[in-house]
Amino acid sequence: MICPKCEEGTINKVVFKENGKKGSLCDFCDALWFEGETIGIMSNHTLRSFSKGEDLEYEVLEINEKDQEHQPITEIK
């Protein structure tokens, strides 16, 4: 799915290693939506604000390309 914030990056599902929190992260602009939040232009956090300036490690969860192409932009599973 293309990021609604920057319209250039791809949204990937991630899990943060430090606390196990899951979300969706743009690989271009670092827009961040936590699990259960609607992915939209005005509803995002940023990786920088969430990490409070620290380098947080996260793992990108595998996403099937077919699922990514057909997934509505307002839905996180």
Side-chain angles (χ1 to χ4, degrees):
M1 147 185 357
I2 301 298
C3 177
K5 186 79 172 174
C6 68
E7 297 182 349
E8 297 204 22
T10 301
I11 302 292
N12 296 299
K13 290 184 181 181
V14 297
V15 61
F16 290 94
K17 293 181 179 183
E18 181 178 292
N19 57 17
K21 197 161 195 158
K22 294 180 181 178
S24 298
L25 179 67
C26 175
D27 63 5
F28 185 78
C29 72
D30 289 336
L32 174 65
W33 296 267
F34 294 109
E35 190 171 53
E37 294 181 331
T38 300
I39 295 177
I41 294 172
M42 302 300 288
S43 63
N44 73 293
H45 309 273
T46 63
L47 183 58
R48 187 175 191 164
S49 66
F50 174 64
S51 68
K52 299 178 183 169
E54 299 176 21
D55 288 332
L56 289 181
E57 290 186 25
Y58 59 87
E59 179 181 346
V60 175
L61 303 174
E62 264 188 65
I63 298 176
N64 183 329
E65 283 185 38
K66 182 179 177 185
D67 291 343
Q68 193 171 22
E69 289 174 10
H70 300 311
Q71 184 177 359
I73 199 159
T74 59
E75 181 180 319
I76 297 177
K77 290 185 178 182

